[in-house]
Amino acid sequence: MLIPEELLLSYGAEIEDLSPSYVIFTENSTPKYYYQIIEGRIKLNHYDDEGKELILAILNKGLSVCELLLFIDQQYPVNAIAFEQTKVIKLPKSSFVKLLDDHSQISRDINKFLSERLYYKYIMLENNASLRPDVRIKGALNYQKSFSEDQTQFSFEVPLTRQQIASITALRVETVIRTIKKLEKENFLKIINRKIYV
């Protein structure tokens, strides 16, 4: 958990239960709250001019949602949607800023977290620029695993379908399926009961 729930609640945070597909915020809306996931998952996505969904991230329990926009005067460049039954804690922006002013260690933790996310975003951009599907998929899977504390080989169950991996990497589903089989033969990943482990 990035910020302890008790601390967030002491600054006036509220807990909300969200049903699957609930839209938390949309592109071009103004950031008003700090969101942290208690249970479930949230996807950040964007739709291109043709209406095709591009998934930019899937965030799990304990992670915050687009908190970086609370530090600048910009609108959201993505949509945030509950991926499944999800519980979040949300804190108004002004209270979040006060919390950080009052707790320097939390502020440093947020800076470290933002730096890590930015680092992995650079890696993702670099990988998605590749013409090779295996490079794109490896980059996407490594990015997902970067949120996990356990970094040992095959310890992380990728929380994505083949279709979602295609949406993240801008590849066709058929290409993703073929490439995942190839990466399993190369011992980069394992498939157990149709689930991918890296």
Side-chain angles (χ1 to χ4, degrees):
M1 194 66 60
L2 200 54
I3 302 177
E5 282 179 43
E6 304 75 33
L7 184 58
L8 289 167
L9 290 169
S10 74
Y11 277 79
E14 297 176 353
I15 294 174
E16 290 188 349
D17 288 305
L18 311 175
S19 56
S21 301
Y22 179 86
V23 177
I24 301 155
F25 56 77
T26 59
E27 268 184 88
N28 301 317
S29 62
T30 302
K32 295 178 182 172
Y33 295 96
Y34 169 81
Y35 295 95
Q36 189 167 289
I37 304 169
I38 298 172
E39 293 173 8
R41 296 183 294 163
I42 292 171
K43 70 176 174 179
L44 302 179
N45 74 358
H46 166 75
Y47 295 95
D48 68 14
D49 294 338
E50 297 170 1
K52 181 179 176 185
E53 180 184 35
L54 300 172
I55 298 174
L56 302 169
I58 295 181
L59 307 173
N60 300 309
K61 175 181 174 178
L63 295 177
S64 52
V65 184
C66 286
E67 69 294 322
L68 62 98
L69 288 160
L70 296 173
F71 299 102
I72 58 176
D73 291 323
Q74 294 292 331
Q75 296 174 326
Y76 287 117
V78 295
N79 305 298
I81 301 168
F83 201 69
E84 58 199 16
Q85 193 65 38
T86 300
K87 186 182 287 189
V88 298
I89 188 165
K90 74 177 197 179
L91 181 67
K93 178 179 177 177
S94 59
S95 300
F96 173 69
V97 171
K98 179 161 178 28
L99 185 154
L100 295 182
D101 287 343
D102 293 347
H103 298 274
S104 59
Q105 184 57 52
I106 298 286
S107 185
R108 283 192 293 275
D109 291 344
I110 293 283
N111 286 335
K112 181 177 184 289
F113 177 77
L114 288 172
S115 298
E116 288 170 352
R117 295 301 101 218
L118 188 56
Y119 169 76
Y120 282 106
K121 286 288 185 188
Y122 281 129
I123 301 298
M124 279 290 293
L125 282 172
E126 184 179 312
N127 289 329
N128 273 354
S130 174
L131 297 177
R132 293 178 43 197
D134 60 326
V135 171
R136 288 188 189 191
I137 292 171
K138 281 181 177 179
L141 299 182
N142 284 335
Y143 176 71
Q144 291 297 314
K145 187 173 180 175
S146 74
F147 290 98
S148 174
E149 289 182 19
D150 187 352
Q151 291 294 309
T152 57
Q153 190 175 30
F154 310 132
S155 63
F156 179 72
E157 180 184 328
V158 177
L160 303 171
T161 65
R162 290 4 177 222
Q163 176 61 57
Q164 291 161 345
I165 294 170
S167 294
I168 287 171
T169 57
L171 294 168
R172 294 177 46 146
V173 178
E174 298 80 8
T175 304
V176 169
I177 292 167
R178 223 177 14 256
T179 306
I180 285 173
K181 288 178 183 172
K182 176 179 172 253
L183 291 174
E184 184 180 33
K185 287 178 186 168
E186 294 173 0
N187 207 34
F188 174 77
L189 56 82
K190 276 190 190 239
I191 300 172
I192 303 169
N193 296 327
R194 297 189 39 80
K195 297 284 188 181
I196 301 169
Y197 290 82
V198 290

